[in-house]
Amino acid sequence: MYHFNEGHAALAAIEMIREKMWAGRTFEEAWQATRNEVVFTTHTPIREGNETHPLDRLEYMSAFNGLTREQMERIGGNPFNMTVAGLRLSRISNGVAKLHGITANKMWQDVSDRSGIVSITNAIHTPTWVDSRITEAYETNGDLWGAHMEIKRELIRFIEERSGIKLNADHLLIGFSRRAASYKRSDLIFSNPELIAPYLESGKIQIVFSGKAHPLDDSGKRIVSNLVAMMRKYPGSVVFLENYDMTIGAWLTRGSDIWLNNPRRPLEACGTSGMKAAMNGVLNCSILDGWWPEACLDGENGWQIGDGFETGDTAALDRHDSAALYDTLLQRVLPMYYENRSKWVQMMRKSIETTREQFATKRMIEEYYNKMYIKA
């Protein structure tokens, strides 16, 4: 059994079909036999993540691999869509969160001869991403806040080394690090400058961003440019860390106080960075998208932003979610951080309790085994 973990792997199935045809099977027989050996994961509703290529280009690159143009078109369409090919070359497929499974089925409902799409929510490898000091404090009912503050101060030193900016360990620190794409709206928190400015000027809110835009994504580059501009405008409260990588991701998901996520629902397929934060006691403040609808106990283990509102009117959605973000952050998160530390720590414990097993790789791998790898 072969697990194709995204669309590019579909070309491997073309080779599998070719081998079976060389052994004497017809194209139809080889296709069906290959499907019985393949399962497929689709990862994103975003168009750029579901590549299409002209058949002429694939033929020039020898991707037909012995198949005819008609046969390739039957598999992936014209132009050739890598995700459609993955769906047609597998016996079962999956989305990477419950909501994403629903979204993917709607998105690909008109594709004939495709495999069914189930939901298997992503998960994280806890030894890689969860700080052992947090685990020990949680499991021994020890000083969780003390452990968090130790890690937060280390994060602040790391930020100063990378950026030259020294943040205040006693003030709220929001982390936001992920790929810079338009639908993730990294700069949504700046959408009402008059409202947010006093909190940034006073340092009551500190935000650390990191992320890279795809080289061909001009809108993503503009978002990064805006974040850098905000850093220059609020040099003591806003930081953009360059060269986003696993090291930066690990520091921010361990040492921030809040993990902010505000994508345009339902375009966030999963969002595993939020799982990393949650297991470190970093409280998620997020739109109800990706994995968060499955985990969120609003006001108990984190906060939801808004009410799951969806619309094809991007401007209306952004206005709605911006207002919801400010309401949640300023009316709920800030008062608790500065005025109710015991409740905050209680939420940290609840965050760890509700995510450390459900969103760890053991559960995910067992689901893949039972739902996908074992043939019915």
Side-chain angles (χ1 to χ4, degrees):
M1 193 282 302
Y2 298 85
H3 183 169
F4 290 178
N5 196 35
E6 53 90 52
H8 292 87
L11 295 177
I14 305 301
E15 167 65 9
M16 293 166 68
I17 291 173
R18 182 197 65 79
E19 290 175 349
K20 293 175 175 60
M21 291 176 67
W22 277 25
R25 299 191 191 188
T26 66
F27 168 72
E28 299 292 342
E29 292 170 342
W31 184 2
Q32 186 56 48
T34 296
R35 290 190 67 170
N36 288 334
E37 299 173 347
V38 173
V39 300
F40 174 65
T41 297
T42 179
H43 277 278
T44 178
I46 301 301
R47 178 178 62 84
E48 291 81 359
N50 298 280
E51 293 181 13
T52 59
H53 300 285
L55 284 169
D56 286 345
R57 182 180 301 159
L58 291 180
E59 185 174 27
Y60 175 76
M61 298 297 295
S62 300
F64 284 17
N65 203 11
L67 272 60
T68 67
R69 175 176 290 260
E70 179 186 6
Q71 290 166 345
M72 289 293 288
E73 187 170 340
R74 285 187 61 192
I75 291 171
N78 185 12
F80 191 92
N81 186 292
M82 305 299 285
T83 302
V84 169
L87 292 168
R88 285 178 172 161
L89 290 166
S90 56
R91 59 182 173 82
I92 189 169
S93 300
N94 77 287
V96 292
K98 290 180 180 178
L99 179 59
H100 179 233
I102 295 170
T103 302
N105 273 296
K106 291 178 181 177
M107 183 175 181
W108 305 110
Q109 61 185 343
D110 295 330
V111 175
S112 60
D113 299 323
R114 71 168 174 87
S115 54
I117 302 173
V118 300
S119 296
I120 298 178
T121 302
N122 279 338
I124 67 160
H125 183 247
T126 52
T128 297
W129 296 106
V130 181
D131 194 290
S132 60
R133 290 167 288 184
I134 293 293
T135 300
E136 182 180 2
Y138 173 80
E139 292 180 346
T140 63
N141 200 29
D143 183 4
L144 189 59
W145 181 254
H148 169 69
M149 287 302 294
E150 181 180 342
I151 298 165
K152 182 179 180 180
R153 291 188 183 96
E154 292 173 357
L155 167 62
I156 288 173
R157 287 194 293 271
F158 173 80
I159 292 169
E160 185 176 15
E161 290 171 0
R162 288 290 185 99
S163 68
I165 298 172
K166 185 173 180 59
L167 300 179
N168 188 332
D170 294 325
H171 288 181
L172 182 74
L173 196 160
I174 299 173
F176 193 113
S177 65
R178 47 183 59 84
R179 183 166 48 86
S182 297
Y183 79 92
K184 292 180 181 287
R185 300 183 297 189
S186 306
D187 53 358
L188 185 67
I189 196 169
F190 302 118
S191 57
N192 187 335
E194 294 78 13
L195 185 57
I196 195 65
Y199 298 94
L200 298 173
E201 290 167 352
S202 67
K204 290 295 184 182
I205 292 178
Q206 306 172 116
I207 318 172
V208 183
F209 295 96
S210 192
K212 296 177 181 177
H214 188 280
L216 299 180
D217 184 1
D218 289 338
S219 63
K221 293 175 187 177
R222 284 192 292 270
I223 289 174
V224 171
S225 179
N226 189 34
L227 297 178
V228 173
M230 291 299 103
M231 178 173 65
R232 291 170 179 162
K233 186 174 183 178
Y234 304 105
S237 299
V238 178
V239 179
F240 181 83
L241 295 177
E242 299 179 9
N243 299 319
Y244 176 50
D245 59 10
M246 284 181 64
T247 299
I248 292 175
W251 274 113
L252 288 176
T253 52
R254 293 180 183 194
S256 301
D257 297 308
I258 287 290
W259 196 251
L260 181 61
N261 190 30
N262 42 239
R264 293 186 180 115
R265 176 182 164 124
L267 299 182
E268 181 81 289
C270 186
T272 53
S273 63
M275 300 175 186
K276 300 165 190 172
M279 292 187 203
N280 279 294
V282 176
L283 300 181
N284 276 262
C285 184
S286 176
I287 295 286
L288 288 170
D289 199 8
W291 78 291
W292 191 229
E294 299 171 46
C296 180
L297 300 173
D298 186 44
E300 296 184 42
N301 68 351
W303 294 271
Q304 68 182 58
I305 298 173
D307 50 10
F309 177 63
E310 295 181 23
T311 177
D313 185 338
T314 299
L317 182 62
D318 289 353
R319 288 193 299 271
H320 174 278
D321 291 349
S322 173
L325 167 58
Y326 288 127
D327 180 67
T328 300
L329 182 60
L330 304 182
Q331 303 304 320
R332 303 181 68 196
V333 176
L334 254 65
M336 186 178 297
Y337 181 82
Y338 286 109
E339 301 167 17
N340 195 344
R341 182 58 45 75
S342 62
K343 173 63 175 176
W344 190 278
V345 175
Q346 180 182 330
M347 289 183 67
M348 291 175 65
R349 289 192 177 277
K350 192 69 173 179
S351 175
I352 298 168
E353 174 193 332
T354 54
T355 59
R356 67 198 303 253
E357 293 183 2
Q358 182 60 23
F359 299 99
T361 47
K362 182 177 185 295
R363 184 274 310 159
M364 179 187 71
I365 291 171
E366 288 175 348
E367 283 197 48
Y368 271 112
Y369 183 81
N370 292 318
K371 292 183 177 182
M372 305 249 310
Y373 298 167
I374 299 301
K375 295 181 182 181

